Amino acid sequence: MEGAVFYWTFWIYWVYLTFFLQKNHPYRLKLAIMVLLVIIFSTSHFIIGPFDIFVSGLLLLLFSYTILSQEKRRTIFYLCICSLTISIAYVTIQLFEIFDPIWMILNREWMMGIVIGYLSLLLQKTLKGRLLIVVCGLVQGEFMYAYTLQTIQMPYQVGALAFLDVCALIVAIIAGWSFLENAGAVLQQHFHFSEKTKQKSS
C-alpha cells in the first residue's frame, strides 16, 4: 500500500519527538512541528506549469534549507555538494528503473535505501548532517527527475506518497545505523570503565 511506510515511520518519529526526546533539545519542537505538517499535507498538491507538486515535499525542502542556512559558510558549501551527490544518485537509480530495469536486483525502495543511506554515511559523520543532506538531496532529486521526464513528455508527481515512502525508509535506515554507532560507543566506554575498575580493585 502506497504511503504505508511513510505514515507509520513519521508517526513514530512524531511520538518520539513529542514524548521521549529531551525537552531542552534545540530542534525538538521544530522537528515535531515539521513532521506533523508533512503528515497533514501529505496528500495536498498544486500545479505550477507542467509540474504537479505535493506540499509535503516542498515543506521538507524549505525546512532543510532553513537549517542549512544557519551553518557556517564553508559548511554550507560542503553540505550543498553532498546533497547534490545524493540528488544525482537518486535520479540515476530512478532512470535505471525506467530504461534498464534489469539492474534493479532488489525492491526499488530498498535499493534506494541501501545506496543513498550508504552514501550519507560516507559523506557525513553526524546524524544531523546525514539527515540534512539526504532530505535536501532527495527532494532536489525529485525536481531534477520530474524535469528530466518532462523533456520526454512523461508526467510525474513531485513529492507524492511513493517518494515519501522512500524518504521515510532512508531516514529510518540512517537513524537506525546512528543508534547502533552510539550504542557501540556507549558499550565500549562501559567495558573500558569496567576493566579500569577491576584493575584498580586488584
Side-chain angles (χ1 to χ4, degrees):
M1 180 181 175
E2 200 171 83
V5 175
F6 159 69
Y7 285 120
W8 275 104
T9 307
F10 268 59
W11 272 121
I12 291 171
Y13 294 157
W14 185 80
V15 170
Y16 170 74
L17 291 167
T18 306
F19 300 107
F20 296 100
L21 190 64
Q22 295 176 354
K23 291 186 178 180
N24 59 353
H25 193 282
Y27 291 106
R28 175 180 170 270
L29 183 60
K30 294 177 183 177
L31 287 173
I33 292 172
M34 185 273 293
V35 169
L36 191 59
L37 287 175
V38 170
I39 294 172
I40 292 171
F41 291 104
S42 59
T43 56
S44 303
H45 59 104
F46 57 93
I47 296 174
I48 297 181
F51 301 107
D52 188 2
I53 303 171
F54 276 71
V55 177
S56 289
L58 199 58
L59 285 173
L60 285 170
L61 187 63
L62 292 175
F63 186 78
S64 300
Y65 281 166
T66 302
I67 295 177
L68 184 63
S69 65
Q70 297 170 359
E71 300 290 338
K72 295 179 180 178
R73 186 173 299 178
R74 185 178 297 179
T75 305
I76 292 174
F77 180 71
Y78 178 65
L79 288 171
C80 287
I81 293 175
C82 292
S83 66
L84 182 60
T85 304
I86 298 292
S87 300
I88 293 170
Y90 177 78
V91 174
T92 302
I93 295 171
Q94 293 273 64
L95 292 177
F96 262 122
E97 186 183 16
I98 294 177
F99 298 112
D100 202 1
I102 195 171
W103 285 95
M104 303 298 288
I105 56 175
L106 298 174
N107 176 276
R108 171 178 169 272
E109 286 82 7
W110 281 104
M111 187 87 170
M112 287 188 183
I114 292 170
V115 173
I116 294 175
Y118 182 67
L119 266 177
S120 71
L121 296 178
L122 291 177
L123 294 170
Q124 289 290 319
K125 294 182 180 180
T126 65
L127 177 60
K128 176 186 173 183
R130 290 166 182 171
L131 293 178
L132 197 57
I133 65 170
V134 161
V135 174
C136 283
L138 289 177
V139 184
Q140 289 169 175
E142 271 284 279
F143 281 98
M144 291 166 63
Y145 183 59
Y147 177 78
T148 303
L149 292 185
Q150 182 60 34
T151 60
I152 55 176
Q153 302 300 314
M154 287 181 65
Y156 184 75
Q157 294 180 315
V158 179
L161 286 175
F163 163 76
L164 293 175
D165 276 342
V166 172
C167 189
L169 178 62
I170 295 171
V171 169
I173 289 173
I174 293 170
W177 183 263
S178 296
F179 172 78
L180 291 176
E181 283 181 333
N182 292 330
V186 170
L187 288 173
Q188 188 176 6
Q189 287 180 356
H190 173 73
F191 286 121
H192 185 64
F193 177 76
S194 299
E195 287 177 3
K196 279 189 173 181
T197 305
K198 288 179 180 177
Q199 287 174 2
K200 287 181 179 179
S201 61
S202 61

